[in-house]
Amino acid sequence: MTRAAVLGSGAWGTTFAAVLADAGTEVTLWGRDEDVAHQINTERRNERFLPGMELPEGIAATADARVALAGADFVAVALPAQKVRSIIGDLADAVPADAVVASLMKGIEVGTHARMSDVLREVWGLTAERTLVVSGPNLAREIAVKQPTATVVAGTDTSAAEMLATATASSYFRPYTNPDVVGVELCGAFKNVIAVGVGVTDGMGFGHNTTATVITRGLAEITRLGVALGAHPDTFSGLAGMGDLIATCASPLSRNHTLGAHIGRGLGLADAIDRTGGTAEGVQTSLSIQELAREHGIDVPICDAVVDMLHHGQPLGEVLTSLLSRPRKAELS
């Protein structure tokens, strides 16, 4: 039987552990909260992060990361993007030498502009062939109740990607493989920034036309930056691109959309973060994306607007006016 370790017992980490278990994979789930681990082991529940959800058999939980990692064929990491380096930094010697490592995280590291797979490779000394990315329209609570969805497993080693796809495939979870790691990973990070922007417009009371405009032009920004970084253009119209963007921008289950809506209703950033609960990765990733885009000379006006609202305290009306007063141009330019 294939054995997997999942690092991170939050909503997505716990849900991905359930996906693996439902597909017949033996899973050990690690989280730093011993009470969460105990409840998973004794009650098949994680009421802190997935209230009311019953977890499948085949998941063992532990508060000892080294216990989780021992003997794992796959390691899936679902930790806060801006904290993962410090959390996993002393575990390199515990990762099995032949294990394939998958990033479930959607962010760009502040300061280094590193994608999460880059962070994992650097901290754990992994080769590119051993490193995968899982990304797509994957709202944890919907998957936890087995609503059908698809995802993308991206990796330069197609056999490794196919192995993880096989280890997660079930009646409700359909994985596709894609060799475009850069594109898939950038989509997962950047769409959170666009979702904050959509949330702001919702909070301000605007309707579906505005939402569609921000989503569509947001996808254009993601595509421009991705192509500049060497990604394949087709990735952006797929599950990891448009698919994930729609899910994150449209759903009230999205923390990034929720945080943006609080901002749109007039809350300051600190209060919006507190009201949202959990980590809205788009807050910090907006800064990294903006800096990365400037390095490559790519225009990202929606990302710039999110940064102005969240980090520079610019009034929402002024930001909106600035966006709408930009010089007109051909849509496909």
Side-chain angles (χ1 to χ4, degrees), residues 11-186:
W12 182 214
T14 303
T15 298
F16 195 74
V19 167
L20 286 161
D22 282 338
T25 301
E26 180 185 336
V27 187
T28 304
L29 175 64
W30 172 77
R32 290 185 288 186
D33 191 323
E34 292 185 359
D35 291 337
V36 169
H38 178 73
Q39 185 179 53
I40 291 171
N41 287 332
T42 58
E43 303 176 25
R44 319 307 307 164
R45 293 181 180 276
N46 182 345
E47 290 296 325
R48 179 176 176 185
F49 295 106
L50 287 175
M53 303 297 176
E54 184 174 351
L55 300 175
E57 299 291 336
I59 302 175
T62 179
D64 187 333
R66 291 177 178 272
V67 170
L69 289 167
D73 301 298
F74 293 107
V75 179
V77 184
L79 296 166
Q82 305 305 327
K83 299 178 180 179
V84 64
R85 186 184 293 271
S86 61
I87 294 173
I88 69 169
D90 63 350
L91 295 174
D93 63 313
V95 180
D98 56 352
V100 172
V101 178
S103 169
L104 309 185
M105 302 168 288
K106 297 179 178 181
I108 303 292
E109 191 176 44
V110 172
T112 67
H113 304 160
R115 292 175 285 111
M116 293 298 100
S117 65
D118 293 330
V119 174
L120 294 178
R121 284 197 297 272
E122 180 181 337
V123 174
W124 282 351
L126 305 172
T127 63
E129 291 76 17
R130 288 178 60 199
T131 313
L132 304 174
V133 173
V134 177
S135 192
N138 300 148
L139 296 164
R141 176 162 284 273
E142 292 183 1
I143 299 173
V145 296
K146 297 180 173 52
Q147 293 184 14
T149 192
T151 197
V152 175
V153 179
T156 58
D157 186 327
T158 56
S159 62
E162 184 57 40
M163 285 174 62
L164 183 57
T166 299
T168 56
S170 69
S171 61
Y172 65 92
F173 195 83
R174 182 176 176 84
Y176 291 79
T177 59
N178 187 334
D180 182 14
V181 176
V182 173
V184 168
E185 202 161 16
L186 180 70

Side-chain angles (χ1 to χ4, degrees), residues 11 49 78-83 106-107 191-192 196 253-257 259 272-274 276-285:
F49 295 106
L79 296 166
Q82 305 305 327
K83 299 178 180 179
K106 297 179 178 181
K191 59 89 186 181
N192 286 331
V196 172
L253 297 175
S254 161
R255 287 193 293 266
N256 293 282
H257 179 277
L259 180 136
I273 291 173
D274 185 60
T276 299
T279 302
E281 297 285 8
V283 174
Q284 294 301 315
T285 292

